Amino acid sequence: MSPETINENLSDIIARIEAARKAAIKPAAATTLVAVTKTHGPDAIHPALIAGQRVFGENRVQEAQGKWPKLHEEYADIELHLIGPLQTNKAREAVLLFDAIQTLDRVRLADVLRAEMDRTGRSPYVFIQVNTGEEPQKAGVQPREAGALIAHARDIGLPLKGLMCIPPADEAPAPHFALLQKLARDHDLPLLSMGMSGDFETAIRFGATHVRVGSAIFGERPKAQP
Ligand SMILES: *Cc1c(COP(=O)(O)O)cnc(C)c1O
């Protein structure tokens, strides 16, 4: 995709976010666009940086390690979010590279993140991923187990700030966003990461503070990628 097209897409998404916020009865105080750059290289990312975009999402630690350290040297104020599943053996690298980790979904990972934050002195803020559709193959804590994981993350002093979800691809997203919003309210968590290219306007109606938009900005990804 040409730099001009990426630029236009980005302005278009920013305008749609603003319009959705205006139309919403009770939008969040702010909605941050997380531009999702998985599978895309510096050629695609640079136009977004030049346009002023600073918050980005990647779903694989290794892929992110390959491109972001150099971009970070050019732009000191980048905020990088991990939005894909995290294995405990990659936790140290994730804590070193990312400014936010959106995919905490189990006690063991919480403990490992705590240890790596202590060891490295870094403390990326954390979202718990909730499997709102209770899909067997999908990452995320089950909704009925979210309370226990939230309590554990707080007990060990993780910088837990919010919840994240990816609704089932074949269902209307609104009930999933509503469930995530309710869980966040019940547990007094301020941030809600929900909404992607196809449904971020709906997510904003339910109070999204972070929307994660990839293909609507950078174009379709090769099919093998999630
Ligand atoms: C890829 C991805 C996105 C972006 O999806 P698009 O439909 O391309 O906007 C958002 N969230 C997560 C967790 C992703 O893996």
Side-chain angles (χ1 to χ4, degrees):
M1 206 166 253
S2 73
E4 293 74 25
T5 308
I6 290 171
N7 229 324
E8 283 167 22
N9 290 346
L10 183 61
S11 322
D12 178 54
I13 295 298
I14 291 167
R16 284 171 57 190
I17 290 171
E18 271 323 300
R21 288 176 51 75
K22 286 218 178 77
I25 295 164
K26 256 186 125 190
T31 304
T32 300
L33 169 61
V34 181
V36 176
T37 48
K38 63 188 182 200
T39 79
H40 297 291
D43 287 356
I45 300 171
H46 267 129
L49 282 165
I50 291 165
Q53 178 65 28
R54 288 294 181 272
V55 185
F56 294 91
E58 288 280 346
N59 72 336
R60 289 170 193 228
V61 176
Q62 215 163 346
E63 183 189 335
Q65 274 178 321
K67 53 187 158 175
W68 285 99
K70 186 154 182 300
L71 293 164
H72 221 289
E73 281 172 25
E74 296 168 47
Y75 295 87
D77 54 347
I78 284 169
E79 183 175 304
L80 194 59
H81 289 229
L82 179 65
I83 59 170
L86 179 57
Q87 294 170 326
T88 49
N89 64 3
K90 297 267 172 61
R92 181 171 310 176
E93 283 139 300
V95 164
L96 287 170
L97 181 64
F98 290 93
D99 303 291
I101 294 176
Q102 295 205 4
T103 51
L104 173 60
D105 63 357
R106 55 202 190 276
V107 165
R108 165 101 180 109
L109 180 59
D111 291 341
V112 172
L113 285 173
R114 176 70 269 164
E116 295 303 346
M117 288 185 196
D118 290 341
R119 198 190 314 262
T120 60
R122 280 188 44 89
S123 47
Y125 63 106
V126 173
F127 296 72
I128 286 176
Q129 181 177 355
V130 182
N131 186 353
T132 56
E134 305 189 35
E135 297 171 279
Q137 80 292 359
K138 197 169 263 174
V141 66
Q142 298 298 311
R144 81 190 84 86
E145 287 160 14
L149 183 56
I150 291 166
H152 182 75
R154 283 180 164 150
D155 275 351
I156 62 173
L158 276 187
L160 177 66
K161 294 285 154 59
L163 300 178
M164 177 270 221
C165 76
I166 310 171
D170 56 354
E171 285 182 28
H176 298 274
F177 297 153
L179 171 58
L180 202 69
Q181 182 183 42
K182 180 178 184 327
L183 279 172
R185 265 195 203 136
D186 289 351
H187 294 281
D188 207 14
L189 287 165
L191 302 184
L192 273 174
S193 173
M194 55 192 199
M196 318 200 323
S197 289
D199 56 16
F200 67 88
E201 284 143 323
T202 306
I204 286 169
R205 279 204 281 127
F206 289 93
T209 64
H210 292 72
V211 292
R212 311 177 308 266
V213 180
S215 50
I217 300 170
F218 300 105
E220 290 301 327
R221 293 175 292 272
K223 280 280 180 292
Q225 286 289 326

